[in-house]
Structure formats: C-alpha cells, structure tokens
Amino acid sequence: MNPCLLCMKPIKEMASWQSFFGLEKKKTLCDDCSKRFVRADIKEEGDVLDAVHSLYEYDDAMRDWLHQYKFLQDVALAHVFGDELRRSFSSKETIVPIPMHPERARLRTFSHVETLLNAAKRPYIQLLEKTNTGVMGEKSKQERLGMENLFELAPGAVVQPITYRLVDDIYTTGTTLRHAASVLKQAGAARVEAVTLIRSIQK
Ligand SMILES: [Zn+2]
C-alpha cells in the first residue's frame, strides 16, 4: 500500500477488475485528503490575455498543498494535480511556463511550474525570462511599475503566429500573466491563453 502524499496514511486500494488488469490509476491521496479539494473551474476572458482558466479556488486545502509543495519543496506533490492539468490542455496549443525568478534559480530551488508540467506529462517551451529589475535605479518605484515589463523574450526565442498557453501555479492579480502575454503578443503570438492551478479571489 502506498501512502497518501499529504497525510502519509496508507491508501486503501479496492480490489477491482481495473486494478487486476493494472488499468486503475494509482491514487496519490487518501479519500479524506482528496475530498478537501473541490474543483472550481473559474474562466475569464480578457484583452492582452485572451482567456484564463483556473482549476481550483484558493481555499484551506489549496493553501496547505501550495505551502507543502512550493515552500517545503515536497516535489512529489506535483503528481496530485498532474492528470487534471493535462486534461485542461488541448492538443494544439503550445505550453509556456511562467519562468521562475533568477534569484530562486540561483539558489537552486526547483521550478514549481515546470515540475507541475512534468507531472502532467506535457512538453513545453520556455520563451520568457524575468527581466532584471535592478537597472532602473534612478526612476521611482511608481514609474518602474508603470512602464517596466516583468518579462522579456528569452535569448533565441522564436514566437510564431499561433496560440500559446501560459501556465502558472496561482493567479492573484493577473499582473504576472498579463505581462507575460503582452511580451508574446508583441513578438507575434496570435492568441495567448492561460491555465493556473489556483485562483486567489480577493474578497
Ligand atoms: Zn491523506
């Protein structure tokens, strides 16, 4: 019996003809833990970011999952949502993960978005990188926020007139995704959509 990835209790597998033939998907969570996650499927349309689909609302269950995954770096937790993330993609679109901050890359922490895509078994291309925010020292913070994009094209990146699908773990204000979408649009992308695992709704 394999343990639940969140609470470590052994998962009871029911003997069935599916499990006998190895057709049943191995569960990653026990029933008690999986019951806590309720799909929300929040969909919105916009201008620079044409559409965004978030699979879950930010609630206690997602807060616990995100903390354990991202901050405690429990990489295996990516598998909890791998299949659901894969099913949210169509076969035609090209997946572009939101890149991690260079400081985090320097500290060799794992890339949480790319690890989610690996669990979803979906290939992706990295077209973006974070801009260096330290070079505009003489401008006020207000000016910088107004004009500076958080992202730029990665060296050698080729953007085609097709649909791209950005992927991020959480959508909060949407600034991150809109900045990323505007870079791809300016470089010639026909349409930019996004999927996030979680949507944080300001109440
Ligand atoms: Zn559990």
Side-chain angles (χ1 to χ4, degrees):
M1 266 193 289
N2 51 320
C4 167
L5 289 178
L6 278 172
C7 71
M8 298 300 159
K9 276 189 278 198
I11 298 173
K12 289 191 210 95
E13 299 277 3
M14 298 277 265
S16 64
W17 66 268
Q18 287 98 333
S19 61
F20 180 77
F21 290 106
L23 295 172
E24 203 166 48
K25 235 206 102 277
K26 259 214 170 339
K27 285 181 182 166
T28 52
L29 297 183
C30 70
D31 288 345
D32 289 338
C33 287
S34 54
K35 259 195 306 216
R36 296 183 65 207
F37 297 96
V38 183
R39 276 284 288 256
D41 286 306
I42 303 153
K43 294 181 180 182
E44 277 177 27
E45 294 188 359
D47 36 31
V48 61
L49 182 65
D50 292 284
V52 58
H53 175 198
S54 303
L55 306 189
Y56 290 88
E57 207 176 316
Y58 186 76
D59 57 10
D60 289 350
M62 287 315 285
R63 189 201 58 219
D64 293 349
W65 177 87
L66 195 64
H67 179 78
Q68 196 171 332
Y69 176 56
K70 208 165 156 179
F71 300 103
L72 305 181
Q73 305 202 6
D74 191 345
V75 178
L77 285 190
H79 292 281
V80 173
F81 300 111
D83 283 343
E84 283 180 85
L85 195 58
R86 184 176 59 250
R87 282 194 288 267
S88 74
F89 300 130
S90 80
S91 54
K92 279 182 249 164
E93 60 207 4
T94 301
I95 313 282
V96 179
I98 292 294
M100 69 192 299
H101 195 278
E103 179 68 11
R104 292 211 199 102
R106 197 182 64 76
L107 295 169
R108 291 175 190 276
T109 55
F110 78 111
S111 170
H112 51 274
V113 179
E114 291 177 18
T115 304
L116 273 175
L117 286 168
N118 292 338
K121 300 189 183 76
R122 259 311 282 258
Y124 53 83
I125 50 170
Q126 190 46 275
L127 295 174
L128 301 168
E129 57 181 40
K130 282 256 168 105
T131 46
N132 189 350
T133 50
V135 294
M136 302 182 82
E138 71 275 19
K139 296 208 169 57
S140 73
K141 193 175 178 208
Q142 200 96 42
E143 283 174 307
R144 285 204 306 272
L145 287 175
M147 63 184 292
E148 196 184 354
N149 199 303
L150 294 167
F151 303 100
E152 59 195 2
L153 279 188
V158 177
V159 176
Q160 293 169 306
I162 57 172
T163 298
Y164 289 95
R165 179 83 86 140
L166 294 164
V167 178
D168 208 356
D169 52 351
I170 185 162
Y171 176 116
T172 307
T173 61
T175 305
T176 301
L177 289 170
R178 279 195 296 274
H179 276 207
S182 77
V183 173
L184 294 178
K185 285 267 178 84
Q186 277 166 27
R191 189 175 165 82
V192 181
E193 301 180 359
V195 168
T196 71
L197 186 60
I198 312 166
R199 174 68 191 264
S200 169
I201 293 163
Q202 266 84 34
K203 283 172 180 145

